[in-house]
Amino acid sequence: MKKADVLQVIKFAFVGTCNTVLDYGVFLLLFSVFGWDKNPAQICATGLAMTSSYLVNRYWTFHKTGSVHAGEIGRFILVNLMSLATILLCLNIFYDLLALYTYANHLLAHLGFDFQLEGDTAVLFCKVLSTPFSMTVNFLGNRLWVFRSKKDGC
């Protein structure tokens, strides 16, 4: 892997980390403070983080210059919708179907911790588990489709 590619991955990870903090902050605010259902809270959080991600990644991470084209925005939105679908699918599978927090609770009890994941913390635990799947879809879609460069052979 070339040094420029490594730097690009690091920048994308940094931007992703900042936008993940933004996503979690908005999600927590809407879900925990305002009592929204987890799915609409996630959709709103993703929308805000997606807008930030587009602007910062376009100009800083992938060094795109010039005017913004509808096709690029359309591709970006599609990639982020796939990323949103991935996190919603994983979140609902991990929380509602598999109840993975219960396994974590068994592990916590076995290790002697007097803490159990329930309610909001159980949902957030499953959201954390869902994030790597969503991030993978997002990076690959942006790198290979949205912000591809002519030198990439695309």
Side-chain angles (χ1 to χ4, degrees):
M1 188 178 249
K2 295 184 275 183
K3 184 178 178 181
D5 292 335
V6 171
L7 183 59
Q8 191 175 65
V9 169
I10 290 169
K11 284 181 170 183
F12 189 86
F14 177 75
V15 172
T17 299
C18 292
N19 285 312
T20 298
V21 169
L22 178 63
D23 176 285
Y24 275 79
V26 171
F27 180 82
L28 280 170
L29 182 68
L30 297 176
F31 179 73
S32 295
V33 176
F34 292 112
W36 287 28
D37 180 72
K38 68 184 180 306
N39 293 319
Q42 182 60 60
I43 291 167
C44 288
T46 296
L48 187 58
M50 183 174 76
T51 302
S52 171
S53 176
Y54 176 79
L55 295 171
V56 177
N57 279 317
R58 183 179 203 279
Y59 296 107
W60 185 58
T61 305
F62 297 107
H63 303 289
K64 295 293 279 190
T65 58
S67 60
V68 175
H69 299 284
E72 180 181 273
I73 292 174
R75 289 189 302 272
F76 183 82
I77 291 170
L78 284 174
V79 165
N80 279 275
L81 288 174
M82 289 187 297
S83 181
L84 174 61
T86 301
I87 200 164
L88 287 172
L89 179 66
C90 291
L91 178 59
N92 284 282
I93 288 172
F94 294 165
Y95 182 77
D96 296 321
L97 186 63
L98 300 177
L100 291 182
Y101 59 92
T102 60
Y103 299 103
N105 285 338
H106 290 299
L107 179 61
L108 288 169
H110 180 73
L111 294 173
F113 288 96
D114 190 28
F115 175 78
Q116 293 289 289
L117 300 168
E118 51 193 26
D120 292 0
T121 58
V123 172
L124 292 173
F125 173 75
C126 292
K127 180 174 166 45
V128 168
L129 295 179
S130 303
T131 299
F133 297 95
S134 175
M135 288 176 67
T136 300
V137 168
N138 198 293
F139 177 76
L140 291 175
N142 279 292
R143 171 77 166 95
L144 300 175
W145 192 40
V146 177
F147 299 114
R148 68 180 183 256
S149 67
K150 294 185 190 317
K151 69 180 181 178
D152 290 335
C154 299

